[in-house]
Each structure stands twice: as C-alpha cells, then as structure tokens.
Amino acid sequence: DAGITQSPRHKVTETGTPVTLRCHQTENHRYMYWYRQDPGHGLRLIHYSYGVKDTDKGEVSDGYSVSRSKTEDFLLTLESATSSQTSVYFCAISAERGLRSSYEQYFGPGTRLTVT
Amino acid sequence: AQTVTQSQPEMSVQEAETVTLSCTYDTSESNYYLFWYKQPPSRQMILVIRQEAYKQQNATENRFSVNFQKAAKSFSLKISDSQLGDTAMYFCAFMKRNSGYSTLTFGKGTMLLVSP
C-alpha cells in the first residue's frame, strides 16, 4: 500500500462542465502521474509531475490540465468535459531514488468518470 | 517511441495448471525496465513482477516468473499453480530509464480467467 487515495471514486457529469479529480499521497513522493484507462487501449499517460509546480504533458494531454501546489496533492482538471473523456482515471507515484526504487510505479484505486 | 504488444486478448486456464502470457515490445533504448501489472475485478493495479533490461537472469516472484529475451524483445509471464484469485487483466508495461521520473507504456492487456 503506497498511501494513495483518489477522490471522488465515481462521478457522473454533463458535457461542458468542469471536473477536477484529486490524487492524494501520504508518503511525500516526488513523482506523480495521471493515466486514463479505456477498453482496448490499456493505460495511457495524461500528465505527470516531478515536483511542486513542475508538470509536463504525456501522450494524451489534450483537454486536460494539472496542478501541484503541494507535494501530497496532484489535481487533474477537465476544463469542459466531453463524452470522449469518459474513462477510468488512475493516479500513480514513484519514489525518490535511494529510498525505494524510482523505477516502480504504484497506483491509486482509480476514479470512474462518466460524461453524459 | 516505444510500443508494447500483447497478442492474446483472453486466455483461460484451470486451477493448478500453468499458463504463459505473451508480451513483445519495440524500442531503440538499451536501458529500460519491464513490468507485469495485474488488475483484478476490484480495478486496483497491482505490480506483479519487474525485470531490469541489463540483468540476464529472469525475475521470479513466488508463482510468477518471466522469460525475458532481450534480443527478441520478448517478455512473457508464467503463472504456475494457477489460483482462482489470479483471475484478472494482466498488463505488460515498458519503462524507459530516465534520470528521475519514469513513464510507463502499457500493452492493451490480456484477460486471464482461472476456472475450478
């Protein structure tokens, strides 16, 4: 258990509304990631963070923004949700080099988002 | 860019038998890691096993072992003495070795059903 929680766990929202998903970690890890999981695609990286206020885009970043104002929280925002963003969203962390291998990622429980 | 291919969308095995899940990948990198993740119906992503590309010895974790063929870019997972709790989606994943953060590229997954 890497101490990762995600909120909400389920959400249904309407097209065009803003949505923010939260990832919270309790172990002070530097690196955090957001993935989405869709049938037939596995998991795909949306954005990642390598420190407070340090973020970068992943493979499928269009339509998403992120923020990290504290080490423990990584927020994913859909500014104007679309039906194509219906998915399961996973947060992950990887540790600092020297504490636990920084090459292993540990995942939160996921958030199922439905955009109607 | 890296690609990961899992050619078996579904597999089934009977309890106590052995099953092998296939994974191939394509990369021009020389330093990388490979992983197998398990996703049971609970949706939680669980790290099963990892392999460092520079290690020739195949990784083993209890009933789970890999056959890593670097030249062939193949990374299969063998599950021995299958148990009902092994029923899950299994994802193969590739990680390029960076200086700090790490990003995963996933295959599309293989659904494994273990029957009594």
Side-chain angles (χ1 to χ4, degrees):
Chain A
D1 183 6
I4 308 168
T5 57
Q6 293 185 232
S7 59
R9 295 292 312 279
H10 300 88
K11 185 171 182 66
V12 179
T13 191
E14 294 184 348
T15 298
T17 59
V19 177
T20 295
L21 308 183
R22 181 185 183 229
C23 178
H24 179 77
Q25 55 139 332
T26 59
E27 299 187 3
N28 209 36
H29 296 301
R30 178 179 177 184
Y31 305 105
M32 300 184 74
Y33 311 83
W34 276 107
Y35 292 87
R36 61 177 289 174
Q37 181 180 20
D38 305 290
H41 287 279
L43 278 78
R44 293 177 293 174
L45 181 67
I46 305 172
H47 280 280
Y48 60 93
S49 171
Y50 46 96
V52 173
K53 298 186 180 179
D54 292 323
T55 65
D56 207 347
K57 296 179 179 180
E59 177 188 357
V60 290
S61 60
D62 287 349
Y64 301 95
S65 62
V66 290
S67 65
R68 193 167 177 201
S69 58
K70 299 184 292 184
T71 299
E72 59 266 34
D73 289 326
F74 191 31
L75 304 181
L76 177 71
T77 298
L78 291 66
E79 299 291 346
S80 177
T82 68
S83 59
S84 64
Q85 293 176 311
T86 292
S87 187
V88 178
Y89 290 86
F90 285 96
C91 175
I93 61 94
S94 58
E96 284 281 351
R97 188 191 301 272
L99 293 176
R100 176 160 47 171
S101 167
S102 63
Y103 303 111
E104 293 180 356
Q105 288 190 16
Y106 296 89
F107 287 79
T111 293
R112 180 176 294 279
L113 175 67
T114 303
V115 183
T116 61
Chain B
Q2 287 70 230
T3 59
V4 178
T5 302
Q6 294 180 249
S7 58
Q8 306 151 314
E10 297 179 353
M11 292 195 70
S12 60
V13 65
Q14 289 196 313
E15 216 173 355
E17 292 185 345
T18 296
V19 64
T20 298
L21 309 184
S22 300
C23 173
T24 58
Y25 59 95
D26 188 23
T27 185
S28 58
E29 301 291 333
S30 57
N31 286 328
Y32 53 88
Y33 292 81
L34 295 163
F35 301 86
W36 280 97
Y37 281 86
K38 168 185 177 181
Q39 187 178 41
S42 67
R43 201 170 67 199
Q44 179 70 49
M45 292 288 289
I46 302 166
L47 178 61
V48 174
I49 198 166
R50 82 171 202 177
Q51 175 79 43
E52 292 90 338
Y54 63 87
K55 290 187 177 179
Q56 292 186 337
Q57 186 174 4
N58 289 323
T60 299
E61 290 286 345
N62 300 314
R63 298 183 294 107
F64 298 88
S65 61
V66 299
N67 183 4
F68 174 48
Q69 301 289 328
K70 189 173 184 179
K73 297 180 181 175
S74 170
F75 182 61
S76 61
L77 175 70
K78 185 172 81 171
I79 305 174
S80 304
D81 185 26
S82 296
Q83 301 175 359
L84 297 178
D86 295 332
T87 291
M89 182 73 83
Y90 287 82
F91 292 97
C92 178
F94 173 99
M95 177 183 289
K96 176 184 171 182
R97 186 170 173 173
N98 293 307
S99 59
Y101 69 91
S102 56
T103 59
L104 287 167
T105 301
F106 285 86
K108 295 181 179 181
T110 296
M111 181 64 211
L112 176 67
L113 176 62
V114 181
S115 55

